[in-house]
Amino acid sequence: MKVLKFGGTSVGSAERIGSIANLLPANEPCIVVLSAMAGTTNTLIEITNKAKSDNMHEAMEMIRTLENKYIATVKKLYQSQTYQNRGELFINDTFLQISRKVAGGLSEKGSREIIAFGEMISTALFQMYLTELGFKSAYIPALNFMRIDKDKEPDYFYIEENINRSIQSSPFVQIYITEGFICRNATGEIDNLGRGGSDYSAAIIGNVINANEVQIWTDIDGVHNNDPRYVENTSPLRHLSYDEAAELAYFGAKILHPSTIQPCRVKEIPVLLKNTLQPQDNGTLISVFRNPQGIKAIAAKDGITTINIQSSRMLLAYGFLNKVFEVFNQLQTAVDMITTSEVAISLTIDNADKLDEITKQISKFSNVTVSKNQTIICIVGDFEADKNGYAALVFDALKEIPIKMISYGGSSNNISISVDSQHKVKALNLLQKIVASRTATLNSELIAQPVNI
Ligand code: ADP
Ligand code: ASP
Ligand code: MG
């Protein structure tokens, strides 16, 4: 069975929702995972923020505008009056629920419930659309099976049991439809997998049902060799290894939620990224096959905080690093990059919620300085043994950029540097010169030696 995830743009209008019905596999069952229509999650978050800051009038106005947008979509999406009426009733009823919840005052829990409506609406509309077309499909609500534990990790045992139960209760169906992004948490409340989390939903589902492929359908023809939002003339890569894709996703390539790769990698499930707007394009395959060496792609992750820790007496003495990392451990803050010298260590975090407490704790035994607004630029590829001077290429390209930190050698798939965020766009563009020519060669090497999955 295949899992197909369609992102916000892919369900972003009546026309787009209509066209994805043609992309479903003809001769095997599949699970379709849907995001909210593009813009909806942002709007729902804004509505909850307005409501929480006592701006109820604006919140209600936004609800009305969003409802009108969905009514217009329903009118275009369905052919028959019966389905248009049915769709309109569903939208009216859903938005009545949203308005009542918002008017009643929003807790954190209530806000999460509002945000979940985006995925629930697109999923219901798509299933109704398939039914109107005469396709047999079954809706399997994500809230009945997708669950995270108290550490916010997927509860794989629970998910597997419950999704299989849902699938088995509709045995003569080819198309199962569910929501991406939303889940229940350890206490059973409605929660979500974080922004962009529908990719992760698809990967988790692929893992528990042992899918033969997870397809991520989006608005671009696969993973590009650089970030197309900041660099012109980027081009798609035909293939990436799991490790390369995981580095890119973690270090900012928005096309994939940072956690998408791991659930597929552990079961060696191929992940195929495809463009809904141009389904004939090859897209990018992420899998475990022979992988040409070299630099493949560049990504950047903003919002990084660097913490510099100086201690002339204790550094490199036994237990110093242990003492530093114990603080991060206790305050449940992940560290991304680390560099060391005789007298200092620098490290980066992307979640600065506990920054004050972290600096307070470390200040007890070292001098601490903090730099905000940093960006990690990540150069991804296969640099086994640095045979071809890849690092030299990178640093030569970046000679005009003041580099703050360098990390190389942690894996053979990643060279990371950190810079002040103001230098990000220039750095990405300078690095484009070293990936641009290489991408065509990499893709042609693949064509010469066919993929074997
Ligand atoms: P979806 O709504 O389908 O999940 P996203 O907006 O989350 O789509 O991800 C697709 C977008 O990711 C692209 O439109 C592109 O702007 C951005 N992006 C960032 N880095 C890359 C990259 N390396 N390759 C392709 N797209 C990228
Ligand atoms: N709709 C959610 C978001 O905008 C999840 C997703 O699109 O993957 O973050
Ligand atoms: Mg996305």
Side-chain angles (χ1 to χ4, degrees):
M1 190 168 346
K2 289 188 175 24
V3 178
L4 286 82
K5 175 258 170 174
F6 293 93
T9 323
S10 307
V11 292
S13 64
E15 291 82 5
R16 297 259 60 81
I17 298 176
S19 69
I20 63 180
N22 302 324
L23 302 173
L24 308 184
N27 304 317
E28 70 174 312
C30 66
I31 300 185
V32 176
V33 179
L34 296 182
S35 292
M37 286 177 80
T40 295
T41 308
N42 283 347
T43 306
L44 292 172
I45 291 173
E46 231 182 293
I47 289 169
T48 63
N49 288 339
K50 296 262 184 233
K52 281 191 280 195
S53 57
D54 277 339
N55 219 332
M56 206 50 94
H57 177 70
E58 274 185 56
M60 289 301 168
E61 273 302 306
M62 289 178 78
I63 294 175
R64 237 189 314 277
T65 310
L66 191 61
E67 176 170 10
N68 289 338
K69 185 179 140 187
Y70 276 102
I71 295 289
T73 304
V74 158
K75 288 193 171 143
K76 271 202 196 148
L77 180 63
Y78 302 114
Q79 305 296 308
S80 63
Q81 194 61 47
T82 314
Y83 274 83
Q84 286 180 15
N85 292 346
R86 217 178 267 181
E88 210 166 316
L89 270 178
F90 166 76
I91 293 297
N92 291 149
D93 178 58
T94 305
F95 277 85
L96 189 63
Q97 289 182 55
I98 294 176
S99 308
R100 282 194 181 141
K101 273 185 197 287
V102 169
L106 284 179
S107 57
E108 271 313 305
K109 174 173 167 281
S111 300
R112 283 189 258 113
E113 288 170 6
I114 298 291
I115 293 164
F117 276 106
E119 269 66 16
M120 295 199 281
I121 297 172
S122 50
T123 304
L125 294 185
F126 183 60
Q127 205 215 349
M128 247 190 267
Y129 176 72
L130 288 184
T131 311
E132 187 186 34
L133 288 186
F135 286 104
K136 217 168 158 200
S137 66
Y139 169 51
I140 48 172
L143 297 179
N144 288 357
F145 65 85
M146 190 58 83
R147 192 163 84 168
I148 49 174
D149 63 20
K150 59 180 181 7
D151 298 320
K152 297 192 178 293
E153 290 296 323
D155 182 344
Y156 280 98
F157 182 75
Y158 180 95
I159 298 167
E160 184 172 343
E161 290 253 297
N162 286 283
I163 197 170
N164 283 326
R165 188 172 305 140
S166 300
I167 291 170
Q168 279 150 19
S169 66
S170 302
F172 302 110
V173 169
Q174 288 278 309
I175 308 165
Y176 298 90
I177 307 170
T178 190
E179 300 94 347
F181 181 58
I182 64 174
C183 63
R184 289 196 186 273
N185 61 24
T187 51
E189 293 167 356
I190 293 179
D191 210 322
N192 61 66
L193 301 174
R195 296 307 307 268
S198 299
D199 303 330
Y200 193 24
S201 301
I204 296 167
I205 293 170
N207 173 298
V208 298
I209 66 154
N210 294 309
N212 57 27
E213 186 169 83
V214 170
Q215 297 180 357
I216 307 282
W217 287 85
T218 182
D219 57 2
I220 190 164
D221 50 346
V223 179
H224 277 219
N225 54 10
N226 207 328
D227 194 323
R229 293 168 299 174
Y230 307 107
V231 178
E232 281 179 16
N233 300 323
T234 60
S235 46
L237 292 149
R238 291 273 316 276
H239 178 259
L240 286 168
S241 69
Y242 288 118
D243 288 342
E244 290 165 341
E247 298 279 9
L248 282 174
Y250 186 74
F251 285 106
K254 185 181 176 242
I255 188 167
L256 279 176
H257 178 278
S259 307
T260 310
I261 296 302
Q262 195 270 346
C264 295
R265 176 189 3 217
V266 293
K267 293 208 170 162
E268 296 192 357
I269 299 166
V271 179
L272 183 61
L273 282 95
K274 294 277 288 179
N275 186 354
T276 347
L277 307 167
Q278 280 165 294
Q280 69 286 357
D281 285 351
N282 288 316
T284 301
L285 179 70
I286 301 165
S287 74
V288 272
F289 72 87
R290 185 199 67 86
N291 197 25
Q293 288 208 338
I295 295 175
K296 310 252 167 82
I298 318 291
K301 184 171 174 180
D302 288 326
I304 299 294
T305 303
T306 301
I307 302 172
N308 181 267
I309 302 162
Q310 297 207 353
S311 172
S312 51
R313 268 189 337 111
M314 293 174 77
L315 197 85
L316 300 188
Y318 277 114
F320 180 76
L321 289 178
N322 191 27
K323 220 167 153 181
V324 169
F325 286 115
E326 190 48 37
V327 173
F328 289 90
N329 186 23
Q330 268 174 13
L331 294 168
Q332 296 183 320
T333 300
V335 172
D336 285 332
M337 260 175 89
I338 312 161
T339 58
T340 64
S341 82
E342 168 62 12
V343 292
I345 67 173
S346 281
L347 44 82
T348 68
I349 56 173
D350 72 348
N351 178 354
D353 290 353
K354 310 263 176 67
L355 182 62
D356 289 346
E357 190 57 24
I358 290 169
T359 47
K360 193 171 142 200
Q361 297 285 339
I362 298 178
S363 299
K364 288 181 187 160
F365 57 90
S366 291
N367 294 326
V368 184
T369 48
V370 168
S371 310
K372 295 187 178 166
N373 299 324
Q374 303 294 296
T375 292
I376 294 179
I377 309 247
C378 180
I379 297 99
V380 168
D382 188 342
F383 316 120
E384 197 67 57
D386 197 6
K387 284 191 202 108
N388 298 322
Y390 299 117
L393 277 177
V394 169
F395 296 116
D396 189 51
L398 291 178
K399 57 184 177 244
E400 297 164 34
I401 303 285
I403 294 174
K404 293 283 201 58
M405 286 170 68
I406 298 168
S407 170
Y408 182 33
S411 86
S412 58
N413 297 113
N414 171 334
I415 301 172
S416 291
I417 57 155
S418 78
V419 297
D420 280 343
S421 297
Q422 55 174 319
H423 300 301
K424 173 180 87 171
V425 174
K426 186 165 181 193
L428 289 176
N429 280 280
L430 289 170
L431 289 165
Q432 180 63 10
K433 294 188 188 112
I434 60 173
V435 284
S437 56
R438 183 75 189 125
T439 303
T441 319
L442 284 169
N443 287 342
S444 65
E445 278 176 39
L446 278 173
I447 294 161
Q449 298 202 21
V451 176
N452 179 22
I453 33 171

